[in-house]
Amino acid sequence: MKRMISARDARMLLYFACTSKKNQEKTEETKKKEEESKVKSVPQVSSALFFQYNTQLGPPYHILVDTNFVNFSIQNKLDIFQGMMDCLYAKCVPYITDCVMAELEKLGSKFKVAQRIVKDPRFERLPCMHSGTYADDCIVNRATQHRCYIVATCDRDLKRRIRKIPGVPIMYVSQHKYTIERMPDAYGAMVCRLVKTYYDIAIAIVNSVKES
């Protein structure tokens, strides 16, 4: 009779250890080859951005309006056009997409005032090519493709999604007025500089009048 080597034999344990090491080395090599062969895609950065600053933003401001922004403006008795100008101190052009219009029409007769406001000729209409009437995805896609927009919304989920897009400010209703979030500091500094120059000119005129 032939004798069987037991599984606990030192020679068998050494053999299993060597084969497992070889298998591990093979798997590591195959993983490295797979990673090297993969094509790494890097998302293209928008040409409008200078680091985190959006150079395409500037008066007149183009503002994408969401459904609930119109409803919140009505609740707070805010005039959309005047409120935007008071917030940004410049001409503002509000834009409404077809899907936002469809959402307002779906809400029914309770929101007739909002539908009437949106049909104002001062609102620019943007046609939608996608299927369905879900406005959030449409607004996010437009904001990522064209960085010239400010997104006006009071929706928390949409604001969270817009914050992930660099260089896109958000306008919302707070304390019965419009507030802007993530506006580039460059424009704030420019406005302060202009105010300072006008103030200096006014003081110079007053002093010259006093002297004369």
Side-chain angles (χ1 to χ4, degrees), residues 156-201:
R156 286 182 182 178
D157 295 329
L158 182 57
K159 282 201 279 188
R160 198 178 296 117
R161 290 174 70 182
I162 294 295
R163 284 188 191 110
K164 292 177 184 177
I165 308 167
V168 180
I170 302 164
M171 185 181 281
Y172 58 95
V173 180
S174 176
Q175 296 178 356
H176 304 286
K177 63 180 181 179
Y178 294 153
T179 309
I180 197 79
E181 179 185 316
R182 297 204 312 167
M183 199 67 180
D185 295 334
Y187 295 109
M190 185 178 69
V191 170
C192 290
R193 206 179 297 119
L194 284 170
V195 171
K196 189 178 182 302
T197 52
Y198 287 137
Y199 181 72
D200 292 340
I201 290 163

Side-chain angles (χ1 to χ4, degrees), residues 5 9 22 50 57 70-71 73 83 87 137 150 186 189 192:
I5 300 172
D9 194 281
K22 284 179 182 178
F50 179 74
L57 285 174
V70 181
N71 295 331
S73 299
C87 179
D137 291 340
I150 296 169
C192 290

